[in-house]
Amino acid sequence: MSLSVGDTAPEFSLPDQDKQVVSLAELRGAPVLVVFYPFAFSGTCTGELCQLRDELATYTDAGVRVVAISTDPTFALKAFREKEGFGFPLLSDFWPHGATAQAYGVFNDKAGMALRGTFLVDAEGTITFAEINGPGDARAQSGWKDAVAELSAAA
């Protein structure tokens, strides 16, 4: 079951590319853009995260924290972040495998990976934007930006 606008975002505590634990609870007080993606180094995922990297100021200038989550191990995420120069944490949902993706309703059991799920969580932990795209279905990030603009205007 996937999550919808108005739902409370499930908590998570996941290691980042440097094995430092990042939790949604620690980020509370600021909006968080949670971006699930299937695999580090894959073509579509790299393109999406590079666009996010290049347009990061759109989010950070609005006070939004950005985290990207995949089922890759931390070692792969470290190499991916270093190669592409991402300025946001890459979180590993490797073990228990896909547990956070499952909680958000974006885990593909057959492939053992996260779908392309995007959630904007407000400062209180409520989902204000939710989008799920299947494997190979690249996301248009304009919807994310519109959601951030709406959230900023309401603040």
Side-chain angles (χ1 to χ4, degrees):
M1 182 176 97
S2 59
L3 299 172
S4 302
V5 170
D7 289 344
T8 298
E11 291 295 332
F12 59 78
S13 292
L14 298 170
D16 69 7
Q17 68 284 336
D18 297 317
K19 299 184 184 176
Q20 301 299 307
V21 175
V22 175
S23 70
L24 187 59
E26 290 173 354
L27 300 174
R28 187 85 66 238
V32 180
L33 184 68
V34 180
V35 180
F36 288 91
Y37 63 100
F39 295 114
F41 295 105
S42 63
T44 303
C45 296
T46 300
E48 287 181 337
L49 293 185
C50 284
Q51 181 182 351
L52 185 56
R53 174 200 64 205
D54 296 346
E55 299 173 357
L56 190 59
T58 301
Y59 305 99
T60 57
D61 288 354
V64 176
R65 304 281 304 267
V66 175
V67 297
I69 303 174
S70 76
T71 57
D72 293 301
T74 56
F75 306 104
L77 298 180
K78 186 172 185 75
F80 189 39
R81 187 171 196 251
E82 287 174 358
K83 181 180 186 301
E84 300 299 342
F86 298 132
F88 47 87
L90 303 181
L91 306 183
S92 176
D93 192 18
F94 184 72
W95 199 258
H97 195 71
T100 299
Q102 289 174 30
Y104 278 77
V106 297
F107 188 70
N108 180 324
D109 289 316
K110 290 180 181 174
M113 66 181 191
L115 299 172
R116 297 178 198 288
T118 311
F119 302 90
L120 181 60
V121 181
D122 71 13
E124 289 76 42
T126 302
I127 295 172
T128 62
F129 174 85
E131 173 184 61
I132 300 171
N133 296 57
D137 185 11
R139 295 173 269 207
Q141 296 182 18
S142 58
W144 312 356
K145 294 175 192 163
D146 292 346
V148 166
E150 288 176 26
L151 190 64
S152 295

